[in-house]
Amino acid sequence: MLESVPQTDRRRPPPPPGARTRETAITRQHTENPPSIDADEPWMRGLHADAGYLLYRLGLRSGQLFNTFLQESGLRLRHYAVLRFLATSQGALQRELSTRLGYDPSAIVGLVDDLEKLGFAERRPSPDDRRSRIVVLTDAGGAFLRDTDEAGRRVTNDLLGPLDPAERDTLHALLQRIADRP
């Protein structure tokens, strides 16, 4: 018969507020000093020949920069995307947000909950179907978006810094064409 030996809890206690953890140090390192893309390294040549990988890297970098800016507000790029979509509509059903933004429906619920807690969005009865609720942008949410517009431009300018204005326009048009494809 095997005796049950009590196991000690191997989890570490949470760090005190404000303490630098390994995770925050890594995040800070990647946002403050992003690793360069070493296209000349033999192990990277194959990846850099793949446009999909380069788009992935650009998306990661964009998200890191924008999330760093949003960090103080407690929001992330995904929240911002929901607010930006709501700013262009008279409100949307959660399933529409999920479809249009490409997020899992369960993620939308949490994102909208977070935005409601901050007063940036609210759920209201749908004018077309009283059983449904639409998510709408509040005045506070609109003000938050206006305040973040400049940060969005700075992030874009940082990412596209190596390109001249004509190249930026071309890149945008090409990305738009790809993104609009069903």
Side-chain angles (χ1 to χ4, degrees):
M1 175 160 49
L2 295 174
E3 288 184 35
S4 135
V5 178
Q7 300 253 336
T8 58
D9 188 0
R10 295 174 194 233
R11 291 178 290 171
R12 294 182 183 162
R20 286 184 59 157
T21 64
R22 183 173 189 276
E23 181 179 316
T24 57
I26 290 170
T27 302
R28 185 171 288 113
Q29 174 189 357
H30 285 291
T31 56
E32 292 174 1
N33 303 310
S36 64
I37 298 179
D38 299 318
D40 295 330
E41 294 291 331
W43 57 274
M44 290 298 287
R45 285 187 192 122
L47 285 174
H48 288 227
D50 181 353
Y53 174 76
L54 294 175
L55 288 168
Y56 166 76
R57 285 285 303 252
L58 183 60
L60 264 179
R61 181 73 182 127
S62 175
Q64 288 170 340
L65 287 170
F66 208 79
N67 282 333
T68 298
F69 170 76
L70 291 173
Q71 190 172 13
E72 287 182 25
S73 70
L75 298 181
R76 304 202 34 92
L77 183 56
R78 295 175 69 123
H79 295 97
Y80 177 82
V82 171
L83 290 173
R84 183 54 61 203
F85 180 85
L86 292 174
T88 64
S89 69
Q90 296 297 315
L93 297 170
Q94 288 183 173
R95 70 177 161 265
E96 180 184 7
L97 289 171
S98 173
T99 301
R100 297 284 183 104
L101 296 173
Y103 296 164
D104 185 82
S106 62
I108 290 292
V109 172
L111 293 170
V112 172
D113 287 347
D114 294 343
L115 294 171
E116 269 194 316
K117 286 176 191 166
L118 292 169
F120 291 168
E122 64 184 29
R123 292 174 175 101
R124 295 182 183 161
S126 170
D128 300 329
D129 179 358
R130 292 187 339 202
R131 296 170 294 170
S132 296
R133 299 183 65 75
I134 58 170
V135 181
V136 297
L137 185 69
T138 63
D139 290 340
F144 176 81
L145 280 175
R146 284 188 296 281
D147 291 345
T148 58
D149 285 343
E150 179 57 33
R153 283 189 288 277
R154 285 195 314 262
V155 167
T156 299
N157 286 334
D158 182 48
L159 287 170
L160 303 181
L163 304 179
D164 65 42
E167 290 171 322
R168 289 178 185 208
D169 290 343
T170 300
L171 176 63
H172 186 267
L174 293 170
L175 291 173
Q176 189 70 51
R177 196 164 83 200
I178 294 167
D180 287 345
R181 186 174 167 218

